[in-house]
């Protein structure tokens, strides 16, 4: 199976694109850079895992992607509190990051149990 066919990869890639588009005018460059990097890390690590040769390697990179989803969610929540991100929009991004993390958790278990 190609990673491009995975719904979780599609969702993570779409979230990453959204973050880049919606924060392009954010003046705190350090925050914006960290936010977009953690968002980009999720689909990138999913892709890297599925390009590996074993379920163990796939699970390892999915675990990294799951960690990035948690990192992203934290940054979004802090961004809301700091007034960098609009609450309603950013809350939906945080929810999506959390859902992506849950899906990745299930995929990790599947690959570890093979």
């Amino acid at each position: 199976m190609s990673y491009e066919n995975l719904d979780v990869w599609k969702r993570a890639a779409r979230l990453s694109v959204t973050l880049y588009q919606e924060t392009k005018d954010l003046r705190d460059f350090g925050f914006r850079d960290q936010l977009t990097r953690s968002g980009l890390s999720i689909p990138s690590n999913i892709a890297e895992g599925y390009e590996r040769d074993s379920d163990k390697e796939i699970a390892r990179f999915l675990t990294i992607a799951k960690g990035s989803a948690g990192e992203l969610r934290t940054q979004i929540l802090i961004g809301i509190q700091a007034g960098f991100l609009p609450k309603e929009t950013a809350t939906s991004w945080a929810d999506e990051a959390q859902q992506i993390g849950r899906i990745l958790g299930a995929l990790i278990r599947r690959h570890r149990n093979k």
Side-chain angles (χ1 to χ4, degrees):
M1 169 183 267
S2 173
Y3 64 85
E4 293 109 327
N5 295 326
L6 293 169
D7 285 336
V8 71
W9 180 85
K10 291 175 188 175
R11 288 174 70 170
R14 189 169 38 250
L15 179 58
S16 181
V17 168
T18 298
L19 292 170
Y20 275 100
Q21 291 173 337
E22 297 294 322
T23 63
K24 69 178 183 273
D25 296 327
L26 187 62
R27 300 195 55 84
D28 188 311
F29 303 116
F31 178 78
R32 184 181 69 200
D33 183 59
Q34 190 65 33
L35 185 75
T36 54
R37 283 176 183 265
S38 60
L40 183 60
S41 177
I42 302 167
S44 298
N45 278 292
I46 294 168
E48 187 166 355
Y50 277 89
E51 290 295 321
R52 299 293 175 134
D53 292 332
S54 70
D55 285 304
K56 182 179 178 182
E57 284 286 291
I58 293 170
R60 183 168 79 88
F61 280 92
L62 292 177
T63 300
I64 295 167
K66 187 177 185 303
S68 293
E71 180 182 4
L72 174 61
R73 185 166 186 267
T74 295
Q75 292 162 356
I76 292 168
L77 295 173
I78 290 170
I80 293 168
Q81 292 296 314
F84 293 154
L85 301 173
K87 186 174 183 177
E88 188 174 316
T89 302
T91 299
S92 72
W93 300 341
D95 291 344
E96 179 69 354
Q98 187 174 43
Q99 290 175 28
I100 288 168
R102 287 182 181 143
I103 296 166
L104 289 169
L107 277 175
I108 291 163
R109 287 187 295 280
R110 189 175 87 190
H111 284 286
R112 284 184 178 159
N113 292 332
K114 279 189 175 181

